Amino acid sequence: MTGLTRREAVGLGLVGAAAPTLTALAQPRPASLERPGSLIGFASMIQDFRADPRFREMLLNQADIITPMNDLKWAQLRPKRDAFDFVDADEAIAFARANGKRVHGHALVWHDALPGWTRAIVSRSEAERELERHIETVLARYKGKVESWDVVNEVIAHDPRPDAPMRQGFWLSRLGPGYVETAFRLASRADPAARLVINDYDLEDPSPRTANRRRILLGMLRDLKAKGLPVHAVGMQAHLYGEREIDRKGLEAFVGELDRMGVDLMITELDVIDWQLPAKPDERDAAAAKLVATLLDAVSVTKPPQAIISWGISDRSSWISEVFKRQDGLANRPLPFDAEFREKPVWRVIASRRARNGSRS
Ligand code: G3I
């Protein structure tokens, strides 16, 4: 195999009227055909993946990297306190590995999607024990199979105040702010080769609240780095609101600062919340593509993001259709492929950022 999809080959002018033979495609590619870029991928829901072969085909044909959307969350892995259930996660990860895809793990620590039994944990020592058991057990199983992990997800307060920069929730209430450091320490000990990510949302629009969230995130990174903890990347979820702008200048400064700190950027949950965009599909899709292009340009000033992962594949299946329904009753169109798996303009924007050599520069 050449490592090129047909689409990439078409993009390079390698197929079409003067299509070269497969043997020609199999020759090592000259350096001039290699281009810095991003790994491209999707979060995948196990239910879709099992029910509809088109989801699997899209992953096979278009993904460099796959995030199991829900299978690695506590609620799925830990239905009971004393027994882990790896059935769904194993299936998703085995599919990725068997087909040469990388896996991004989501998420080791999150205030949401916790199983009911965690509510009975009240003491600090008990919470610490469960956190340690969780991270050690999950990473021991997927060491060498999951290349990167959202170690902590959404730890910054939605609207941070000086006296409350972090999100209130289970882990903060049981362990205090040090739980972020603890999680990174445990993860790096359990899988020293894994790339460790701090993942969060609302980092891209031009509001003071968002600028404040970026500032707090940078402060946390500095603190973790000063303590010698390996934080390899920031995960920018990028659930983009169609009605908001992209803060180009703010993002350029942000990624510049990350670069100086030696921290990469991943776009981890990209989609467009289109509840307030125009009704006409063409206009809506064009607005979504423009928004995503603006974001990707702004975060690529120093170097392309390491990965661009879309939070789903087809408009057939997205959390946005549940949470951000349109008032006109029309179906949401948040993802790169429509409900019939036809590519949309936003897909062309994303795919154009793919690293040509199939691995990240
Ligand atoms: O698996 C069960 C199924 O057995 C049951 O029949 C069904 C009944 O409701 O629920 C199924 O679980 C649902 C799961 O999605 C899989 O469909 C959960 O109830 C539901 O809460 C869960 O929602 C996910 C949500 O996170 C909470 O985990 C969404 O799919 C997922 O898109 C969303 O993703 C989050 C990221 O993790 C973090 N960033 C924001 C993003 C969007 O909210």
Side-chain angles (χ1 to χ4, degrees), residues 3-46:
L4 281 180
T5 62
R6 180 177 161 77
R7 188 179 310 283
E8 287 167 326
V10 169
L12 289 170
L14 293 177
V15 293
T21 61
L22 271 182
T23 324
L25 277 175
Q27 301 304 315
R29 269 162 296 157
S32 60
L33 288 186
E34 304 204 344
R35 185 192 64 184
S38 308
L39 297 169
I40 304 298
F42 306 97
S44 159
M45 210 149 89
I46 196 79

Side-chain angles (χ1 to χ4, degrees), residues 9 26 85 88 100 127 136 159 169 194 218 221 260 271 276 280 335 339:
D85 178 353
D88 293 354
E136 285 183 350
D159 189 1
L218 288 173
L221 285 168
R260 281 189 285 280
D271 50 22
Q276 291 177 35
K280 284 190 184 156
L335 290 169

Side-chain angles (χ1 to χ4, degrees), residues 29-263:
R29 269 162 296 157
S32 60
L33 288 186
E34 304 204 344
R35 185 192 64 184
S38 308
L39 297 169
I40 304 298
F42 306 97
S44 159
M45 210 149 89
I46 196 79
Q47 294 88 341
D48 298 333
F49 170 90
R50 285 181 183 144
D52 188 337
R54 290 174 298 178
F55 282 97
R56 290 196 295 280
E57 278 161 27
M58 293 298 295
L59 294 173
L60 280 175
N61 295 334
Q62 305 295 356
D64 308 314
I65 184 164
I66 297 173
T67 305
M69 186 181 282
N70 296 314
D71 316 315
L72 292 164
K73 293 173 179 172
W74 280 60
Q76 272 73 15
L77 286 180
R78 315 276 311 265
K80 298 199 184 92
R81 185 165 185 162
D82 292 316
F84 283 76
D85 178 353
F86 288 112
V87 173
D88 293 354
D90 278 359
E91 184 178 337
I93 292 167
F95 171 86
R97 305 295 306 169
N99 293 291
K101 313 294 180 188
R102 300 187 197 203
V103 180
H104 178 64
H106 172 81
L108 293 172
V109 182
W110 190 25
H111 65 272
D112 203 349
L114 287 168
W117 59 261
T118 55
R119 282 194 289 272
I121 297 178
V122 287
S123 79
R124 182 188 182 95
S125 60
E126 219 185 333
E128 247 163 16
R129 254 200 323 277
E130 283 304 338
L131 184 62
E132 183 168 346
R133 185 149 81 105
H134 184 85
I135 293 178
E136 285 183 350
T137 308
V138 175
L139 266 57
R141 191 172 189 91
Y142 295 126
K143 209 172 175 170
K145 296 180 177 161
V146 173
E147 283 84 358
S148 55
W149 279 100
D150 292 333
V151 176
V152 293
N153 185 38
E154 303 176 359
V155 297
I156 300 167
H158 179 74
D159 189 1
R161 286 181 286 113
D163 59 338
M166 293 180 71
R167 176 182 284 273
Q168 298 300 321
F170 177 80
W171 296 109
L172 186 67
S173 70
R174 303 304 192 278
L175 298 177
Y179 81 87
V180 173
E181 181 185 332
T182 305
F184 274 94
R185 206 174 288 289
L186 290 168
S188 69
R189 190 177 73 190
D191 185 357
R195 296 186 55 77
L196 306 182
V197 181
I198 182 164
N199 196 48
D200 222 307
Y201 69 97
D202 275 0
L203 296 169
E204 59 279 326
D205 72 72
S207 69
R209 177 178 71 84
T210 293
N212 197 18
R213 289 172 57 78
R214 286 196 298 260
R215 194 181 50 74
I216 289 165
L217 180 49
L218 288 173
M220 290 175 81
L221 285 168
R222 265 183 224 112
D223 187 44
L224 290 165
K225 288 270 181 190
K227 288 175 173 151
L229 289 160
V231 186
H232 300 104
V234 160
M236 179 181 284
Q237 291 188 1
H239 296 294
L240 306 180
Y241 286 79
E243 70 277 18
R244 294 185 192 167
E245 302 280 312
I246 299 291
D247 182 0
R248 284 167 179 264
K249 287 269 164 295
L251 281 179
E252 287 176 17
F254 179 66
V255 294
E257 188 58 28
L258 293 183
D259 200 43
R260 281 189 285 280
M261 294 167 81
V263 174

